[in-house]
Amino acid sequence: MELVAGCYEQVLFGFAARPAESWTVVPDFTHHAHSASLSAVAVNNRYVVTGSRDETIQIYDMKKKIEHGALLQHNGTITCLEFYGTTHLLSGAEDGLICIWNTKRWECLKSIRAHKGHVTSLSIHPSGKLALSVGTDKTLRTWNLVEGRSAFIKNLKQNAQIIKWSPDGERYVTVITNKVDIYKLDTASITGTITTEKRISSLRFITDSILAIAGDDEMIRFYSCDSQKCLCEFKAHENRIKDIYSFEREGQHVIVTASSDGYIKIWNLDLNKIKDMPSLLCEVNTKARLTCLAVWLDQASEVKENSDKAATSSQANEDEKASIVKVKKVCRTEKNDTTAKRKRKIAPEKQTLEAPLQKKKKRRKSLA
């Protein structure tokens, strides 16, 4: 298990997390991934991808611990990244595009003009047939991934910053500043609203009906999607919380949090005692201003990510039908020829991710 986190200082951190009687987190690698701050990170069972303000997406093979290449399809900050199983990656950026990538050859299958403004967030339905996106044009858009086209557009009163499907795909939520609207899939109507005092920066489904919400304060709060009531709240960090990740291991619900205070913390949540504060398993100080977080779970460890339950169960059928994105392997863009020359995958010489100690030695030599 690997904790991966990006920061304003342009570094990608990797920490090996070792679950045992007492959890330990050991620094595994640091990598100067980009020429600007990291803005998004996503994982599947093999790869970690990072997005940045430098307009690139970097790919890392976590099994081989090497840098795999870069994707240069977007113009503008990469705002969101999400894998669907082992086959596809969706990316969104400030250029208003959503790009669909095949993760076998890292080809751009389709480039969709998704929003008139920035794409702020996207989420793939567990079936892989639908995706939702929100942008700065005050719209929520539904995408048919089977045909690679728009299916529905809903106008919002304000710009939404986050959108997320529940693990069972029966509902989805949007975040507008400090407000969470909960929608039912079958009616596409709001069934409830959660309002917090501070701006929300991160949101995660712990179960199909329990949300973990964090934002511009030191608190994490668990809410019921059915009653919209706060089930528990506790102080997790000394500064605002930038990202939350969750997964399930051998029946144990684990939550990982990253904060501007530089700490990554791992918590154990007992769903039978949801009103009690989660117990802290371990923590690590990165001494950086963290921006994004993910947990890479090796399949061999038999660890199952909480948010991928429904996707995993339907993955075999979906792969057989090849239902996601049946389009030609051509990257369609509305750019001119000069920018199009830049729009292709870059596959640099593979580089091993640097261990922290190795990096210090290199710096000492350069100073000498």
Side-chain angles (χ1 to χ4, degrees):
M1 185 188 309
E2 196 93 17
L3 310 180
V4 289
C7 64
Y8 283 108
E9 288 79 7
Q10 307 169 19
V11 176
L12 176 69
F13 294 99
F15 296 93
R18 298 169 183 169
E21 292 183 3
S22 60
W23 282 58
T24 57
V25 177
V26 180
D28 192 21
F29 68 82
T30 57
H31 186 67
H32 279 273
H34 295 271
S35 60
S37 61
L38 278 74
S39 52
V41 61
V43 298
N44 68 3
N45 67 337
R46 178 164 185 174
Y47 295 104
V48 169
V49 293
T50 58
S52 168
R53 292 182 179 276
D54 65 8
E55 306 180 358
T56 69
I57 300 169
Q58 298 285 345
I59 312 163
Y60 307 94
D61 188 324
M62 293 300 291
K63 292 187 177 181
K64 296 181 179 180
K65 291 293 177 67
I66 59 172
E67 184 179 0
H68 192 70
L71 307 176
L72 303 182
Q73 182 61 31
H74 289 285
N75 278 326
T77 298
I78 310 300
T79 55
C80 44
L81 296 165
E82 185 165 325
F83 279 103
Y84 177 73
T86 60
T87 57
H88 294 85
L89 169 73
L90 266 65
S91 62
E94 289 184 349
D95 57 7
L97 296 179
I98 290 178
C99 294
I100 304 172
W101 304 90
N102 178 299
T103 59
K104 301 298 181 183
R105 297 182 180 180
W106 292 105
E107 295 173 312
C108 181
L109 300 179
K110 193 172 182 66
S111 180
I112 303 170
R113 177 64 63 183
H115 292 270
K116 294 179 181 178
H118 304 167
V119 179
T120 54
S121 181
L122 61 84
S123 185
I124 305 171
H125 189 270
S127 68
K129 297 180 180 180
L130 293 174
L132 297 173
S133 68
V134 289
T136 56
D137 57 0
K138 298 181 182 179
T139 63
L140 187 163
R141 297 175 184 250
T142 305
W143 302 98
N144 182 332
L145 294 181
V146 178
E147 300 178 4
R149 62 176 179 81
S150 175
F152 182 73
I153 300 174
K154 178 180 177 62
N155 292 317
L156 304 175
K157 293 181 180 179
Q158 294 176 279
N159 293 326
Q161 292 82 45
I162 301 173
I163 191 158
K164 188 82 69 177
W165 283 105
S166 64
D168 61 4
E170 293 298 316
R171 67 180 101 198
Y172 56 93
V173 297
T174 61
V175 174
I176 299 175
T177 313
N178 65 330
K179 184 179 70 172
V180 181
D181 286 328
I182 304 166
Y183 292 80
K184 287 287 288 183
L185 173 62
D186 52 0
T187 61
S189 60
I190 297 175
T191 60
T193 299
I194 297 168
T195 304
T196 63
E197 292 183 3
K198 300 286 187 177
R199 184 180 68 90
I200 297 169
S201 59
S202 182
L203 173 148
R204 193 83 178 180
F205 275 95
I206 305 301
T207 68
D208 294 325
S209 61
I210 298 177
L211 279 171
I213 298 175
D216 284 355
D217 58 15
E218 308 85 13
M219 309 294 291
I220 291 178
R221 297 174 176 87
F222 300 115
Y223 284 89
S224 166
C225 290
D226 299 320
S227 66
Q228 294 88 54
K229 291 182 179 180
C230 182
L231 305 174
C232 173
E233 66 177 16
F234 66 99
K235 183 178 179 179
H237 290 270
E238 296 300 322
N239 207 326
R240 60 183 177 178
I241 299 167
K242 298 295 291 186
D243 212 347
I244 306 174
Y245 206 87
S246 67
F247 59 92
E248 184 180 342
R249 178 185 178 272
E250 298 177 355
Q252 181 184 34
H253 285 270
V254 180
I255 298 172
V256 187
T257 59
S259 169
S260 295
D261 63 12
Y263 277 88
I264 299 173
K265 296 186 179 183
I266 302 178
W267 309 82
N268 176 38
L269 175 64
D270 188 345
L271 291 178
N272 295 322
K273 300 177 181 178
I274 189 67
K275 294 184 179 180
D276 296 339
M277 173 181 171
S279 57
L280 180 64
L281 296 172
C282 61
E283 62 183 30
V284 60
N285 187 4
T286 65
K287 297 181 180 179
R289 296 171 296 166
L290 300 176
T291 58
C292 51
L293 169 76
V295 180
W296 178 74
L297 304 168
D298 192 347
Q299 278 189 336
S301 65
E302 297 181 357
V303 179
K304 191 175 184 181
E305 184 183 352
N306 184 36
S307 64
D308 279 350
K309 287 181 181 179
T312 304
S313 64
S314 63
Q315 184 69 46
N317 292 333
E318 295 302 321
D319 288 345
E320 289 175 7
K321 296 176 182 178
S323 63
I324 185 171
V325 199
K326 295 180 181 177
V327 297
K328 295 180 180 179
K329 293 185 177 181
V330 176
C331 182
R332 303 173 185 173
T333 63
E334 300 177 7
K335 303 286 187 292
N336 57 35
D337 293 338
T338 56
T339 54
K341 290 179 181 178
R342 195 175 75 87
K343 302 301 179 187
R344 56 179 178 271
K345 183 182 76 170
I346 303 297
E349 183 180 350
K350 293 181 179 179
Q351 301 177 8
T352 304
L353 298 179
E354 295 177 341
L357 290 177
Q358 292 174 331
K359 192 164 187 179
K360 288 180 181 178
K361 288 179 181 178
K362 287 185 178 181
R363 285 181 177 176
R364 288 172 185 169
K365 287 181 182 179
S366 63
L367 289 173

